[in-house]
Amino acid sequence: MTQAETAPTMSTPYIALVSLLTSDKSKVNAAASREIDIIAQTFASTTAKGHPDRAQPNYRHARQNVVEQRALELARQATRTPEIYLESAAIDDSYASFAIVDRGGRAVWSDRLPDNDPIWVPGDPSSAELSAALRAIWIAAKAQTAQTDTPARLHLNMVAADIDHTALLEMGILCNVAVGVEFSEDNAAVDIASAPPAPR
């Protein structure tokens, strides 16, 4: 890949993102866990453990319409914002690990999901994928707010298509991130998420 091809990835928000994660990873992980836990509670009735919204199709449909309208407005506000491209993946085994990488396949953030994660249900790979994607949105927001108060614009590549897409948009609204999602098996984050994590 040429320098010209990689240049769009190295936008100011992206550089801020990498700097944020390499400065003190332990503090970032702790902050992410706290904030994602709080944010997840705002839509916990529809996305958290047990997925109760599946028994409430009318509520789910109404929620989806409202979120999509708000996400569309956020996307309009972010049309001139430099794009952040990330890929996310998670592996659900005896524990869940996740990885977030950039366009060149370089690891931006990888770790185990906490045992008390509000989204991940042990034995449910899709919930682990959703939790990893929420972290990608969170870190894109942090990279953007380190530079400006305009909305971030994230292009997120994921493997699992059978997740709550509305939850991704809702997380983006709460974090001021316009989220565009692409589902593809060609995802470099999978190999990194599959690597054995550092012992705790």
Side-chain angles (χ1 to χ4, degrees), residues 104-185:
R106 296 176 290 262
V108 173
W109 187 14
S110 62
D111 201 353
R112 287 177 58 168
L113 291 175
D115 294 337
N116 63 346
D117 186 85
I119 303 299
W120 170 50
V121 180
D124 181 359
S126 293
S127 66
E129 290 276 2
L130 176 58
S131 190
L134 298 183
R135 280 165 167 73
I137 296 169
W138 180 86
I139 202 62
K142 290 299 179 183
Q144 182 75 359
T145 56
Q147 303 296 318
T148 177
D149 59 359
T150 58
R153 184 162 61 97
L154 173 65
H155 183 123
L156 180 61
N157 184 308
M158 301 179 61
V159 174
D162 58 336
I163 63 167
D164 186 348
H165 184 259
T166 305
L168 299 179
L169 297 180
E170 194 163 9
M171 183 72 167
I173 292 165
L174 293 166
C175 292
N176 204 30
V177 178
V179 181
V181 182
E182 171 189 1
F183 298 103
S184 171
E185 294 293 331

Coordinates of all heavy atoms in Angstrom, one line a residue, residues 104-185:
G104 N -4.9 0.1 7.9 CA -3.7 -0.7 7.5 C -3.5 -2.0 8.3 O -2.5 -2.7 8.2
G105 N -4.5 -2.3 9.2 CA -4.5 -3.5 10.0 C -3.6 -3.4 11.3 O -3.4 -4.4 12.0
R106 N -3.3 -2.1 11.6 CA -2.5 -1.9 12.8 C -3.4 -1.9 14.0 O -4.5 -1.2 14.0 CB -1.7 -0.6 12.7 CG -0.6 -0.6 11.6 CD 0.0 0.8 11.5 NE -0.9 1.7 10.9 CZ -0.9 2.1 9.7 NH1 -0.1 1.6 8.8 NH2 -1.8 3.0 9.2
A107 N -3.0 -2.5 15.1 CA -3.8 -2.5 16.3 C -3.9 -1.2 16.9 O -2.9 -0.5 17.2 CB -3.3 -3.6 17.3
V108 N -5.1 -0.7 17.1 CA -5.3 0.6 17.8 C -5.6 0.3 19.3 O -5.2 1.0 20.2 CB -6.5 1.3 17.2 CG1 -6.9 2.5 18.0 CG2 -6.2 1.7 15.8
W109 N -6.4 -0.8 19.5 CA -6.8 -1.1 20.9 C -7.2 -2.6 20.9 O -8.0 -3.0 20.1 CB -8.0 -0.2 21.3 CG -8.4 -0.3 22.8 CD1 -7.8 -0.9 23.8 CD2 -9.6 0.2 23.3 NE1 -8.5 -0.7 25.0 CE2 -9.6 0.0 24.7 CE3 -10.7 0.9 22.7 CZ2 -10.7 0.3 25.5 CZ3 -11.7 1.3 23.6 CH2 -11.7 1.0 24.9
S110 N -6.7 -3.3 21.9 CA -7.1 -4.7 22.1 C -7.0 -5.1 23.5 O -6.1 -4.6 24.2 CB -6.3 -5.7 21.2 OG -4.9 -5.7 21.6
D111 N -8.0 -5.9 24.0 CA -8.0 -6.3 25.4 C -9.1 -7.3 25.6 O -9.8 -7.7 24.6 CB -8.3 -5.0 26.2 CG -7.9 -5.2 27.7 OD1 -7.4 -6.3 28.1 OD2 -7.9 -4.2 28.5
R112 N -9.2 -7.8 26.8 CA -10.4 -8.7 27.1 C -11.6 -7.8 27.5 O -11.4 -6.7 28.1 CB -10.0 -9.6 28.3 CG -9.0 -10.7 28.0 CD -8.6 -11.5 29.2 NE -9.8 -12.1 29.8 CZ -9.6 -13.1 30.8 NH1 -8.4 -13.5 31.1 NH2 -10.7 -13.6 31.3
L113 N -12.8 -8.3 27.2 CA -13.9 -7.6 27.7 C -14.1 -7.9 29.2 O -13.8 -9.1 29.6 CB -15.2 -8.1 27.0 CG -15.3 -7.7 25.5 CD1 -16.6 -8.4 24.9 CD2 -15.4 -6.2 25.4
P114 N -14.5 -7.0 30.0 CA -14.6 -7.2 31.5 C -15.7 -8.2 31.7 O -16.7 -8.3 31.0 CB -15.0 -5.9 32.0 CG -15.5 -5.1 30.9 CD -14.8 -5.6 29.7
D115 N -15.6 -9.0 32.8 CA -16.6 -10.0 33.1 C -18.0 -9.4 33.3 O -19.0 -10.1 33.1 CB -16.1 -10.8 34.3 CG -14.9 -11.7 34.1 OD1 -14.6 -12.0 32.9 OD2 -14.2 -12.0 35.0
N116 N -18.0 -8.2 33.8 CA -19.3 -7.5 34.1 C -19.7 -6.6 33.0 O -20.5 -5.7 33.2 CB -19.2 -6.8 35.4 CG -18.2 -5.6 35.3 OD1 -17.3 -5.6 34.4 ND2 -18.2 -4.7 36.3
D117 N -19.2 -6.9 31.8 CA -19.6 -6.1 30.6 C -21.2 -6.1 30.5 O -21.8 -7.1 30.5 CB -19.0 -6.7 29.4 CG -19.2 -5.8 28.1 OD1 -18.5 -4.8 27.9 OD2 -20.2 -6.0 27.4
P118 N -21.8 -4.9 30.3 CA -23.2 -4.8 30.2 C -23.9 -5.4 28.9 O -25.1 -5.6 28.9 CB -23.5 -3.3 30.4 CG -22.3 -2.7 29.8 CD -21.2 -3.6 30.2
I119 N -23.0 -5.6 27.9 CA -23.5 -6.0 26.6 C -23.2 -7.5 26.4 O -24.1 -8.3 25.9 CB -23.0 -5.2 25.5 CG1 -23.3 -3.7 25.7 CG2 -23.5 -5.6 24.1 CD1 -24.8 -3.4 25.8
W120 N -22.0 -7.9 26.6 CA -21.5 -9.3 26.3 C -22.2 -10.3 27.2 O -22.2 -10.2 28.4 CB -20.0 -9.4 26.5 CG -19.5 -10.8 26.4 CD1 -19.8 -11.7 25.5 CD2 -18.6 -11.4 27.4 NE1 -19.1 -12.9 25.7 CE2 -18.4 -12.7 26.9 CE3 -18.0 -11.0 28.6 CZ2 -17.6 -13.6 27.6 CZ3 -17.2 -11.9 29.3 CH2 -17.0 -13.2 28.8
V121 N -22.8 -11.3 26.5 CA -23.4 -12.5 27.2 C -22.5 -13.7 26.9 O -22.3 -14.0 25.7 CB -24.8 -12.8 26.7 CG1 -25.4 -14.0 27.4 CG2 -25.7 -11.5 26.9
P122 N -21.8 -14.3 27.9 CA -20.9 -15.4 27.6 C -21.7 -16.5 26.8 O -22.8 -16.8 27.1 CB -20.6 -15.9 29.0 CG -20.7 -14.7 29.9 CD -21.8 -13.9 29.3
G123 N -21.0 -16.9 25.7 CA -21.6 -17.9 24.8 C -22.4 -17.3 23.7 O -22.9 -18.0 22.8
D124 N -22.5 -15.9 23.6 CA -23.2 -15.2 22.6 C -22.2 -14.4 21.8 O -21.9 -13.2 22.2 CB -24.3 -14.4 23.2 CG -25.1 -13.6 22.1 OD1 -24.8 -13.8 20.9 OD2 -26.0 -12.9 22.4
P125 N -21.6 -14.9 20.7 CA -20.6 -14.2 20.0 C -21.0 -12.8 19.5 O -20.3 -11.8 19.4 CB -20.2 -15.1 18.8 CG -20.6 -16.4 19.3 CD -21.8 -16.2 20.1
S126 N -22.3 -12.7 19.1 CA -22.8 -11.5 18.5 C -22.8 -10.3 19.6 O -22.6 -9.2 19.3 CB -24.3 -11.6 18.0 OG -24.3 -12.5 16.9
S127 N -23.1 -10.7 20.8 CA -23.0 -9.7 21.9 C -21.6 -9.2 22.1 O -21.4 -8.0 22.4 CB -23.7 -10.2 23.2 OG -22.9 -11.3 23.8
A128 N -20.6 -10.1 22.0 CA -19.2 -9.7 22.1 C -18.8 -8.8 21.0 O -18.1 -7.8 21.2 CB -18.3 -10.9 22.1
E129 N -19.3 -9.1 19.8 CA -19.0 -8.2 18.6 C -19.7 -6.8 18.8 O -19.1 -5.8 18.5 CB -19.6 -8.9 17.4 CG -18.9 -10.1 16.9 CD -17.7 -9.8 16.0 OE1 -17.4 -8.6 15.8 OE2 -17.0 -10.7 15.6
L130 N -20.9 -6.8 19.4 CA -21.5 -5.5 19.6 C -20.7 -4.7 20.6 O -20.5 -3.5 20.5 CB -23.0 -5.7 20.1 CG -23.7 -4.5 20.5 CD1 -23.8 -3.5 19.4 CD2 -25.1 -4.9 21.0
S131 N -20.3 -5.3 21.7 CA -19.5 -4.6 22.7 C -18.2 -4.1 22.1 O -17.8 -2.9 22.5 CB -19.2 -5.6 23.9 OG -18.7 -4.8 25.0
A132 N -17.6 -4.8 21.3 CA -16.3 -4.4 20.6 C -16.6 -3.1 19.8 O -15.9 -2.2 19.8 CB -15.7 -5.5 19.8
A133 N -17.7 -3.2 19.0 CA -18.1 -2.1 18.1 C -18.4 -0.8 18.9 O -18.1 0.3 18.5 CB -19.3 -2.5 17.3
L134 N -19.1 -1.0 20.1 CA -19.4 0.2 20.9 C -18.1 0.8 21.4 O -18.0 2.1 21.5 CB -20.2 -0.2 22.1 CG -21.6 -0.8 21.8 CD1 -22.3 -1.1 23.1 CD2 -22.4 0.1 21.0
R135 N -17.1 0.0 21.7 CA -15.8 0.6 22.1 C -15.1 1.3 20.9 O -14.4 2.3 21.2 CB -14.9 -0.5 22.6 CG -15.2 -0.9 24.0 CD -14.6 -2.3 24.5 NE -14.7 -2.4 25.9 CZ -15.8 -2.6 26.6 NH1 -17.0 -2.8 25.9 NH2 -15.9 -2.7 27.9
A136 N -15.3 0.8 19.7 CA -14.7 1.5 18.6 C -15.4 2.9 18.4 O -14.7 3.9 18.1 CB -14.9 0.7 17.3
I137 N -16.7 3.0 18.6 CA -17.4 4.3 18.6 C -16.9 5.2 19.7 O -16.7 6.4 19.5 CB -18.9 4.0 18.6 CG1 -19.4 3.2 17.4 CG2 -19.7 5.4 18.7 CD1 -20.8 2.7 17.5
W138 N -16.8 4.6 20.9 CA -16.3 5.4 22.0 C -15.0 6.0 21.8 O -14.7 7.2 22.0 CB -16.3 4.5 23.3 CG -15.9 5.2 24.5 CD1 -16.7 5.9 25.4 CD2 -14.6 5.3 25.1 NE1 -15.9 6.4 26.4 CE2 -14.6 6.1 26.2 CE3 -13.3 4.8 24.7 CZ2 -13.5 6.3 27.0 CZ3 -12.2 5.1 25.4 CH2 -12.3 5.8 26.6
I139 N -14.0 5.2 21.3 CA -12.7 5.7 21.1 C -12.6 6.7 19.9 O -11.8 7.7 20.0 CB -11.6 4.6 20.9 CG1 -10.2 5.1 21.3 CG2 -11.7 4.0 19.6 CD1 -10.1 5.5 22.7
A140 N -13.4 6.6 18.9 CA -13.5 7.5 17.8 C -14.0 8.9 18.4 O -13.5 9.9 18.0 CB -14.4 7.1 16.7
A141 N -15.0 8.8 19.3 CA -15.5 10.1 19.9 C -14.4 10.7 20.7 O -14.2 12.0 20.7 CB -16.7 9.8 20.8
K142 N -13.6 10.0 21.5 CA -12.5 10.5 22.3 C -11.5 11.2 21.4 O -10.9 12.2 21.7 CB -11.9 9.5 23.2 CG -12.8 9.0 24.3 CD -13.2 10.1 25.2 CE -14.1 9.7 26.3 NZ -14.5 10.8 27.2
A143 N -11.1 10.5 20.3 CA -10.1 11.1 19.4 C -10.6 12.4 18.8 O -9.9 13.4 18.6 CB -9.9 10.1 18.2
Q144 N -11.9 12.5 18.5 CA -12.5 13.7 17.9 C -12.5 14.9 18.9 O -12.2 16.0 18.6 CB -13.9 13.4 17.3 CG -14.5 14.6 16.6 CD -13.9 14.9 15.3 OE1 -13.0 14.2 14.8 NE2 -14.5 15.9 14.6
T145 N -13.0 14.6 20.1 CA -13.2 15.6 21.1 C -11.8 16.1 21.6 O -11.8 17.2 22.2 CB -14.0 15.1 22.3 OG1 -13.4 14.0 22.9 CG2 -15.4 14.8 21.9
A146 N -10.8 15.4 21.4 CA -9.4 15.9 21.7 C -9.0 17.0 20.8 O -8.1 17.8 21.1 CB -8.4 14.8 21.6
Q147 N -9.8 17.2 19.6 CA -9.4 18.2 18.6 C -10.5 19.2 18.4 O -10.2 20.4 18.3 CB -9.2 17.5 17.3 CG -8.1 16.4 17.3 CD -6.7 17.0 17.6 OE1 -6.4 18.0 17.1 NE2 -6.0 16.3 18.5
T148 N -11.7 18.8 18.5 CA -12.8 19.8 18.2 C -14.1 19.3 18.7 O -14.2 18.1 19.1 CB -13.0 19.9 16.6 OG1 -14.1 20.7 16.3 CG2 -13.2 18.5 16.0
D149 N -15.1 20.1 18.8 CA -16.4 19.7 19.3 C -17.4 19.3 18.2 O -18.6 19.1 18.5 CB -17.0 20.8 20.2 CG -17.2 22.1 19.5 OD1 -16.9 22.2 18.3 OD2 -17.7 23.1 20.1
T150 N -16.9 19.3 17.0 CA -17.8 18.9 15.9 C -17.9 17.4 15.9 O -17.1 16.7 16.4 CB -17.2 19.3 14.5 OG1 -15.9 18.7 14.4 CG2 -17.1 20.8 14.4
P151 N -19.0 16.8 15.4 CA -19.2 15.4 15.4 C -18.1 14.6 14.7 O -17.6 15.1 13.7 CB -20.6 15.2 14.7 CG -21.3 16.5 14.8 CD -20.2 17.5 14.7
A152 N -17.8 13.5 15.2 CA -16.8 12.6 14.5 C -17.6 11.8 13.4 O -18.8 11.7 13.5 CB -16.2 11.6 15.5
R153 N -16.8 11.4 12.4 CA -17.4 10.6 11.3 C -16.6 9.3 11.3 O -15.4 9.2 10.9 CB -17.3 11.3 10.0 CG -18.0 10.6 8.8 CD -18.3 11.6 7.7 NE -17.1 12.2 7.2 CZ -16.4 11.7 6.1 NH1 -16.9 10.6 5.4 NH2 -15.4 12.3 5.6
L154 N -17.3 8.2 11.6 CA -16.6 6.9 11.7 C -17.1 5.9 10.7 O -18.3 5.7 10.5 CB -16.9 6.3 13.1 CG -16.4 4.8 13.3 CD1 -14.9 4.7 13.2 CD2 -16.9 4.3 14.7
H155 N -16.2 5.3 9.9 CA -16.5 4.2 9.1 C -16.0 2.9 9.8 O -14.9 2.7 10.0 CB -15.8 4.3 7.7 CG -16.1 3.2 6.7 ND1 -16.7 3.5 5.5 CD2 -16.0 1.9 6.8 CE1 -16.9 2.3 4.9 NE2 -16.5 1.3 5.7
L156 N -17.0 2.1 10.2 CA -16.7 0.9 11.0 C -16.9 -0.3 10.2 O -18.0 -0.6 9.8 CB -17.5 0.9 12.3 CG -17.3 -0.2 13.3 CD1 -15.9 -0.3 13.8 CD2 -18.3 -0.1 14.4
N157 N -15.9 -1.2 10.1 CA -16.0 -2.4 9.5 C -16.1 -3.5 10.5 O -15.3 -3.6 11.4 CB -14.7 -2.7 8.6 CG -14.8 -4.0 7.8 OD1 -15.0 -5.0 8.4 ND2 -14.5 -3.9 6.5
M158 N -17.1 -4.4 10.4 CA -17.4 -5.4 11.3 C -17.6 -6.7 10.6 O -17.9 -6.7 9.4 CB -18.7 -5.1 12.2 CG -18.6 -3.9 13.0 SD -20.2 -3.6 13.8 CE -20.2 -5.1 14.9
V159 N -17.5 -7.8 11.3 CA -17.7 -9.2 10.7 C -19.1 -9.6 10.9 O -19.8 -10.0 10.0 CB -16.8 -10.2 11.4 CG1 -17.1 -11.6 10.9 CG2 -15.3 -9.9 11.1
A160 N -19.7 -9.5 12.1 CA -21.0 -10.0 12.5 C -22.1 -9.0 12.0 O -22.1 -7.9 12.4 CB -21.1 -10.2 14.0
A161 N -23.0 -9.5 11.1 CA -24.1 -8.7 10.7 C -25.3 -8.9 11.5 O -26.2 -8.1 11.4 CB -24.4 -9.0 9.2
D162 N -25.4 -9.9 12.3 CA -26.6 -10.2 13.1 C -26.5 -9.6 14.5 O -26.7 -10.2 15.5 CB -26.8 -11.7 13.3 CG -25.6 -12.4 13.9 OD1 -24.5 -11.8 13.9 OD2 -25.8 -13.5 14.5
I163 N -26.3 -8.3 14.5 CA -26.3 -7.5 15.7 C -27.3 -6.4 15.7 O -27.9 -6.2 14.6 CB -24.9 -6.9 16.0 CG1 -24.5 -5.9 14.9 CG2 -23.8 -8.0 16.1 CD1 -23.4 -5.0 15.3
D164 N -27.5 -5.8 16.8 CA -28.4 -4.7 16.9 C -27.8 -3.4 16.3 O -27.1 -2.7 16.9 CB -28.8 -4.4 18.4 CG -29.9 -3.4 18.5 OD1 -30.3 -2.7 17.6 OD2 -30.5 -3.3 19.7
H165 N -28.1 -3.2 15.0 CA -27.6 -2.0 14.3 C -28.1 -0.7 14.9 O -27.3 0.3 14.9 CB -28.0 -2.1 12.8 CG -27.4 -1.0 12.0 ND1 -28.1 0.1 11.6 CD2 -26.1 -0.8 11.5 CE1 -27.3 0.9 10.9 NE2 -26.1 0.4 10.8
T166 N -29.3 -0.7 15.4 CA -29.8 0.5 16.0 C -29.0 0.9 17.2 O -28.8 2.0 17.5 CB -31.3 0.2 16.5 OG1 -32.0 -0.2 15.3 CG2 -31.9 1.5 17.0
A167 N -28.5 -0.1 18.0 CA -27.6 0.2 19.1 C -26.3 0.9 18.7 O -25.9 1.8 19.4 CB -27.3 -1.1 19.9
L168 N -25.8 0.5 17.6 CA -24.6 1.2 17.1 C -24.9 2.7 16.8 O -24.1 3.6 17.1 CB -24.1 0.6 15.8 CG -23.6 -0.9 15.9 CD1 -23.2 -1.4 14.6 CD2 -22.5 -1.1 17.0
L169 N -26.0 2.9 16.1 CA -26.4 4.3 15.8 C -26.7 5.1 17.1 O -26.4 6.3 17.2 CB -27.7 4.3 14.9 CG -27.5 3.7 13.5 CD1 -28.9 3.8 12.8 CD2 -26.4 4.3 12.7
E170 N -27.3 4.4 18.0 CA -27.7 5.1 19.3 C -26.4 5.4 20.1 O -26.3 6.5 20.7 CB -28.6 4.2 20.1 CG -29.3 4.9 21.3 CD -30.4 4.1 21.8 OE1 -30.6 3.0 21.4 OE2 -31.2 4.7 22.7
M171 N -25.5 4.5 20.1 CA -24.2 4.8 20.7 C -23.5 6.0 20.1 O -23.0 6.9 20.7 CB -23.3 3.6 20.7 CG -21.9 3.8 21.4 SD -22.1 3.8 23.2 CE -20.4 3.6 23.7
G172 N -23.6 6.1 18.7 CA -23.0 7.2 18.0 C -23.7 8.5 18.4 O -23.0 9.5 18.6
I173 N -25.0 8.5 18.5 CA -25.7 9.7 18.9 C -25.3 10.2 20.3 O -25.0 11.3 20.5 CB -27.2 9.5 18.9 CG1 -27.7 9.2 17.4 CG2 -28.0 10.6 19.5 CD1 -29.1 8.7 17.3
L174 N -25.2 9.2 21.2 CA -24.8 9.6 22.6 C -23.4 10.1 22.7 O -23.0 10.9 23.5 CB -25.0 8.4 23.5 CG -26.5 7.9 23.7 CD1 -26.5 6.5 24.3 CD2 -27.2 8.9 24.6
C175 N -22.5 9.6 21.7 CA -21.1 10.0 21.8 C -20.8 11.0 20.7 O -19.6 11.4 20.6 CB -20.2 8.7 21.5 SG -20.2 7.5 22.8
N176 N -21.8 11.5 20.0 CA -21.6 12.5 19.0 C -20.7 12.0 17.8 O -19.8 12.7 17.4 CB -21.0 13.8 19.6 CG -21.3 15.1 18.7 OD1 -22.3 15.1 18.1 ND2 -20.4 16.0 18.8
V177 N -21.0 10.8 17.3 CA -20.3 10.2 16.3 C -21.3 9.7 15.2 O -22.2 9.0 15.5 CB -19.5 9.0 16.7 CG1 -18.8 8.3 15.6 CG2 -18.5 9.4 17.8
A178 N -21.1 10.2 14.0 CA -21.9 9.7 12.8 C -21.3 8.4 12.4 O -20.1 8.3 12.0 CB -21.8 10.7 11.7
V179 N -22.0 7.3 12.6 CA -21.5 5.9 12.4 C -22.0 5.4 11.1 O -23.2 5.3 10.8 CB -21.9 5.0 13.5 CG1 -21.3 3.6 13.3 CG2 -21.5 5.6 14.9
G180 N -21.0 5.0 10.2 CA -21.4 4.2 9.0 C -20.8 2.8 9.2 O -19.6 2.7 9.6
V181 N -21.6 1.8 9.0 CA -21.2 0.4 9.2 C -21.1 -0.4 8.0 O -22.0 -0.3 7.1 CB -22.1 -0.3 10.2 CG1 -21.7 -1.7 10.5 CG2 -22.3 0.5 11.5
E182 N -20.0 -1.2 7.8 CA -19.8 -2.1 6.7 C -19.6 -3.5 7.3 O -18.8 -3.6 8.3 CB -18.6 -1.7 5.9 CG -18.1 -2.6 4.9 CD -16.8 -2.3 4.2 OE1 -16.2 -1.2 4.6 OE2 -16.3 -3.0 3.4
F183 N -20.2 -4.5 6.8 CA -20.0 -5.8 7.3 C -19.2 -6.6 6.2 O -19.6 -6.7 5.1 CB -21.4 -6.5 7.5 CG -22.2 -5.8 8.6 CD1 -23.3 -5.0 8.2 CD2 -21.9 -6.0 9.9 CE1 -24.0 -4.4 9.2 CE2 -22.7 -5.3 10.9 CZ -23.7 -4.6 10.5
S184 N -18.1 -7.2 6.7 CA -17.2 -7.9 5.8 C -16.4 -8.9 6.5 O -16.0 -8.7 7.7 CB -16.2 -6.9 5.1 OG -15.2 -7.5 4.4
E185 N -16.1 -10.1 5.9 CA -15.3 -11.1 6.4 C -13.8 -10.7 6.4 O -13.0 -11.3 7.1 CB -15.5 -12.4 5.7 CG -16.9 -13.0 5.8 CD -17.2 -13.5 7.2 OE1 -16.2 -13.9 7.9 OE2 -18.4 -13.5 7.7

